[in-house]
Amino acid sequence: MGNTRSGFKGTAALCAALAALATPGAAHATEGALGRQITGTNVQPNAGIVSPQPIWAVNLSQIYLDGGIGGSREVPVAGRTSLGLDAEVSFTLATLLKTWDTGPGRWNFASSITVPYVWNKVTSTLAGAGGRSVSQDDTASNLFDLYFSPIIAGYHFSETSHLALSLNVWAPTGKYNANDMANPSLNNWTFIPQVAYTGIFPESGFQIDTVAGFQFYTRNSATDYRNAPLFSMDVMGRKVFSNGFSAGLILGTIQQLGSDKGPTADRLNGFKGRDWALGPIVTYDRKLADQRSLSLSLRWVPTISSTNRLDSTSTVMATATLVF
């Protein structure tokens, strides 16, 4: 393979190690009909590449989702069941990543930490006295659960084929109140082993990136709710142009593996869910002075199919990454 440091100056210039992470998701787990990840937002350009050069990278992301589940379905939220659910979520995420100096070779390693801030509004319909329904609104705005990846391991099959393995952890550091429908925490630990792959086709200018992982949740001790494991996969295909722009499509899915557990989940027969999302993405990459580089992206990934998960036509994500 030769000297990896010099061989990847072009393909890894924008620190694709950031993309090996599971993008933080939303303010509800499957207990609130969503999850730690939002379908279609997990894959990033160069998802499988961990830079062979020792660098620092700062990533700022904004995710917005406005979705719901119709009133014909009961939804578990805050230890109760709601006749349908509407949720509006805005996430601001700041990520710091360090790629370690491991020398030339096929393996490279990185670590990262993400500090998220969340604003979310939840509207639910609860059964009241005499069979009447009562609509309730709740809003929360605060620091969300801390998210970190202690190890991201990248393997370079060649200069055009790359793989990244990572273990991502959510810690329940945000405030949580079991009586609130909107909370800046899920009140559980979540562990996400993940694999990402990047395939580059220089002659045609096309690139394929995919990210797949499993989400394992601990029990919410306040509501006695245990989310079943989830499988997620996002695939992105892009055409990269010589002026630094690219355009493509993202197809993503989250599939629940088994039934949720706990008194509320049992009343809803496990509340097993799944969804699919499909939408466009545009990116722009630019080299700056002193070996720095800047990467920008914007995507819209509406839900195209959903069962027992929030259905959203307004899922938008914007990112900016500075490498130095």
Side-chain angles (χ1 to χ4, degrees):
M1 183 170 173
N3 190 323
T4 308
R5 284 183 183 277
S6 61
F8 286 98
K9 284 185 178 180
T11 58
L14 295 171
C15 182
L18 274 174
L21 308 181
T23 302
H28 303 282
T30 46
E31 185 177 358
L34 198 54
R36 288 292 193 183
Q37 299 174 344
I38 297 175
T39 306
T41 67
N42 305 320
V43 66
Q44 301 291 337
N46 304 320
I49 306 174
V50 176
S51 173
Q53 298 177 348
I55 52 86
W56 289 91
V58 175
N59 175 269
L60 296 177
S61 299
Q62 185 71 38
I63 303 175
Y64 174 81
L65 177 146
D66 187 357
I69 293 181
S72 61
R73 292 182 180 273
E74 290 185 285
V75 182
V77 57
R80 297 166 289 177
T81 59
S82 170
L83 303 176
L85 186 75
D86 292 311
E88 189 177 357
V89 184
S90 178
F91 255 98
T92 303
L93 309 153
T95 298
L96 178 65
L97 177 140
K98 169 65 176 176
T99 298
W100 304 106
D101 187 359
T102 51
R106 293 185 180 271
W107 286 99
N108 296 107
F109 301 91
S111 303
S112 76
I113 186 170
T114 296
V115 179
Y117 189 91
V118 65
W119 173 91
N120 67 317
K121 179 180 179 181
V122 176
T123 301
S124 66
T125 303
L126 305 177
R132 294 176 298 177
S133 60
V134 179
S135 179
Q136 294 186 353
D137 293 334
D138 194 14
T139 302
S141 180
N142 212 323
L143 289 174
F144 191 57
D145 293 341
L146 191 66
Y147 175 74
F148 58 96
S149 299
I151 186 67
I152 307 165
Y155 185 79
H156 311 290
F157 296 103
S158 68
E159 293 193 8
T160 59
S161 182
H162 312 270
L163 185 74
L165 306 172
S166 61
L167 175 63
N168 311 286
V169 180
W170 288 88
T173 56
K175 294 182 179 179
Y176 185 85
N177 187 330
N179 296 319
D180 295 338
M181 293 182 298
N183 272 295
S185 174
L186 297 191
N187 199 40
N188 59 40
W189 288 83
T190 310
F191 303 93
I192 308 177
Q194 188 167 267
V195 58
Y197 175 78
T198 293
I200 302 169
F201 305 91
E203 295 182 358
S204 63
F206 279 94
Q207 181 169 321
I208 294 177
D209 297 283
T210 185
V211 175
F214 294 92
Q215 304 173 43
F216 299 97
Y217 295 82
T218 62
R219 183 177 66 91
N220 182 340
S221 58
T223 62
D224 197 24
Y225 199 101
R226 178 70 178 262
N227 299 310
L230 302 177
F231 170 76
S232 66
M233 184 171 68
D234 287 354
V235 179
M236 175 172 61
R238 294 182 299 139
K239 169 68 174 178
V240 182
F241 302 99
S242 58
N243 60 2
F245 285 93
S246 77
L249 284 174
I250 297 172
L251 175 65
T253 186
I254 289 181
Q255 303 284 328
Q256 186 168 325
L257 308 177
S259 299
D260 295 342
K261 302 296 183 182
T264 305
D266 293 343
R267 291 199 301 269
L268 301 179
N269 298 317
F271 199 65
K272 190 173 182 179
R274 63 182 182 275
D275 65 3
W276 291 84
L278 175 67
I281 181 172
V282 293
T283 72
Y284 177 69
D285 300 330
R286 181 179 178 84
K287 291 184 178 180
L288 305 176
D290 301 325
Q291 303 300 315
R292 293 182 175 88
S293 58
L294 177 67
S295 178
L296 307 173
S297 74
L298 179 65
R299 74 184 68 188
W300 171 54
V301 281
T303 304
I304 58 175
S305 176
S306 179
T307 301
N308 287 341
R309 291 180 62 82
L310 293 180
D311 191 329
S312 169
T313 60
S314 305
T315 304
V316 179
M317 179 180 183
T319 68
T321 303
L322 177 65
V323 177
F324 54 95

